[in-house]
């Protein structure tokens, strides 16, 4: 798992010696569905599962979370557990903010504390930075953003984009005990709906955004009425109004696509505010 462009699909292609098929080289997400590929490591059959990123260019975060949830639940019901979870991060990124940070937080919620020992934090793109700068960034990651995960048993690995490096990484997983992640247990064992799980916090976050946007729309409408004599200001506020309305519609469609009953009240309230 990891943000778009961190080299997940490239790693799978390298480890399975399948060339560049299925590897994205543009700024858009290439992996839009969960894909599995098999390779042999130390006489053991290893299945690599490549997942879409939460900042996917073709699907919403909620759709991605649902697809990962469905796959984890289905395989868990079949008795399939995970030997390890690889989280990819570009060492070429000079800061941890925005999308990478959001990806990391959702990842932590999905795995849960007890599965942290199964996690390997993989840094990629070492050929794009000076070695000393890369080491400084790695130290910062280990000492801050990844500190809690490492304290709970996660390890780090510098992936060098070679077949040998990919095989060395996977060899660390072959002898590990397999286990479930938090999302699997919450859905399968506790019969929780996706929105009730820790990873499902995306739902509540969208609800909060919807409520906040509605409040902003009400204020903009009031200001537009007060400034009826200022056409330029009225036009500017109208543009803001339309932009917010479009954002609300988009968020509402995302929530409805997962049939979340929790959004019925905010959605109705939003529609009433916009009419």
């Amino acid at each position: 798992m990891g943000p778009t462009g961190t080299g997940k699909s490239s790693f799978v292609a390298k480890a399975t010696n399948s060339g560049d098929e299925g590897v994205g080289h543009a700024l858009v997400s290439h992996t839009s569905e969960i894909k599995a590929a098999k390779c042999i490591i130390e006489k053991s059959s290893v299945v690599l599962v490549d997942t879409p990123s939460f900042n996917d260019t073709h699907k919403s975060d909620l759709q991605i979370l649902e697809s990962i949830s469905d796959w984890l639940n289905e395989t868990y019901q079949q008795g399939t557990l995970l030997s390890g979870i690889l989280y990819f991060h570009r060492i070429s990124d000079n800061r941890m903010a925005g999308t990478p940070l959001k990806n990391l937080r959702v990842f932590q919620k999905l795995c849960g504390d007890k599965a942290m020992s199964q996690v390997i934090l993989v840094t990629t793109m070492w050929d794009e930075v000076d070695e000393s700068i890369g080491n400084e960034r790695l130290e910062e990651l280990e000492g801050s953003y990844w500190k809690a995960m490492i304290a709970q048993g996660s390890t780090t690995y510098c992936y060098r984009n070679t077949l040998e490096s990919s095989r060395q990484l996977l060899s660390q997983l072959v002898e590990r005990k397999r286990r479930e992640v938090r999302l699997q247990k919450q859905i399968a064992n506790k019969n929780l709906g996706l929105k009730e799980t820790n990873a499902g916090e995306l739902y509540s976050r969208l609800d909060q955004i919807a409520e906040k946007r509605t409040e902003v729309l009400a204020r903009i409408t009031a200001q537009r009425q007060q400034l009826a004599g200022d056409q330029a200001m009225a036009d500017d506020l109208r543009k803001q109004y339309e932009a917010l309305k479009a954002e609300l519609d988009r968020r509402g469609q995302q929530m409805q696509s997962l049939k979340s009953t929790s959004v019925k009240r905010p959605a109705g309230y939003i529609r009433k505010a916009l009419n």
Side-chain angles (χ1 to χ4, degrees):
M1 298 183 68
T4 296
T6 51
K8 302 186 300 296
S9 298
S10 176
F11 171 81
V12 172
K14 190 74 67 173
T16 57
N17 201 24
S18 58
D20 282 346
E21 183 179 356
V23 178
H25 298 288
L27 296 178
V28 298
S29 307
H30 188 90
T31 303
S32 58
E33 303 290 343
I34 293 178
K35 299 178 180 179
K38 185 181 293 187
C39 63
I40 303 298
I41 303 294
E42 298 177 2
K43 298 182 180 180
S44 295
S45 179
V46 176
V47 177
L48 302 174
V49 182
D50 190 7
T51 65
S53 306
F54 283 107
N55 58 325
D56 190 90
T57 50
H58 307 293
K59 293 185 176 181
S60 70
D61 288 350
L62 289 174
Q63 289 173 319
I64 297 299
L65 183 59
E66 184 186 45
S67 65
I68 293 175
S69 170
D70 288 345
W71 185 88
L72 285 171
N73 187 40
E74 182 180 347
T75 55
Y76 184 59
Q77 296 286 359
Q78 296 172 355
T80 301
L81 301 178
L82 305 178
S83 296
I85 310 160
L86 308 180
Y87 183 82
F88 287 75
H89 176 82
R90 288 185 298 260
I91 201 65
S92 55
D93 288 351
N94 59 11
R95 63 190 181 94
M96 173 75 86
T99 295
L101 190 57
K102 183 186 74 172
N103 270 262
L104 183 62
R105 287 171 177 167
V106 174
F107 176 76
Q108 289 174 291
K109 294 291 185 182
L110 186 153
C111 295
D113 295 342
K114 293 183 179 179
M116 281 297 129
S117 60
Q118 303 294 104
V119 173
I120 300 181
L121 301 161
V122 184
T123 49
T124 62
M125 313 298 175
W126 281 88
D127 55 336
E128 296 183 6
V129 298
D130 183 82
E131 189 77 12
S132 60
I133 294 176
N135 288 329
E136 289 178 5
R137 291 175 182 172
L138 180 58
E139 288 181 10
E140 180 183 5
L141 289 168
E142 292 175 336
S144 55
Y145 300 104
W146 294 349
K147 185 176 181 179
M149 299 174 69
I150 292 173
Q152 293 170 327
S154 299
T155 58
T156 63
Y157 185 84
C158 302
Y159 173 57
R160 302 292 177 171
N161 196 32
T162 64
L163 175 61
E164 181 182 8
S165 183
S166 67
R167 295 302 177 94
Q168 287 177 350
L169 172 54
L170 294 178
S171 66
Q172 298 181 24
L173 304 177
V174 172
E175 300 301 326
R176 289 192 178 188
K177 180 181 178 180
R178 300 181 184 181
R179 65 175 304 150
E180 71 280 354
V181 297
R182 173 191 279 163
L183 187 62
Q184 290 174 312
K185 293 179 67 176
Q186 289 182 324
I187 291 178
N189 294 354
K190 297 182 179 181
N191 296 315
L192 297 181
L194 178 58
K195 77 178 185 64
E196 299 173 292
T197 67
N198 293 88
E201 284 185 347
L202 282 169
Y203 281 93
S204 60
R205 207 157 42 231
L206 285 177
D207 282 349
Q208 292 169 5
I209 290 173
E211 295 285 1
K212 184 177 180 180
R213 292 283 198 267
T214 302
E215 292 176 5
V216 172
L217 283 172
R219 290 201 302 270
I220 289 178
T221 301
Q223 291 175 5
R224 185 179 59 183
Q225 292 171 349
Q226 294 170 6
L227 298 172
D230 189 336
Q231 188 60 46
M233 180 63 72
D235 289 343
D236 182 59
L237 289 173
R238 179 63 185 176
K239 290 178 181 178
Q240 293 182 48
Y241 181 94
E242 294 298 336
L244 288 169
K245 182 178 183 298
E247 174 70 5
L248 281 169
D249 289 343
R250 187 176 71 84
R251 294 289 184 176
Q253 289 172 2
Q254 288 183 10
M255 291 185 282
Q256 289 177 7
S257 70
L258 292 185
K259 300 179 180 178
S260 173
T261 57
S262 68
V263 303
K264 290 181 179 178
R265 182 190 56 79
Y269 176 58
I270 292 167
R271 286 193 294 271
K272 182 178 179 180
L274 294 179
N275 288 334

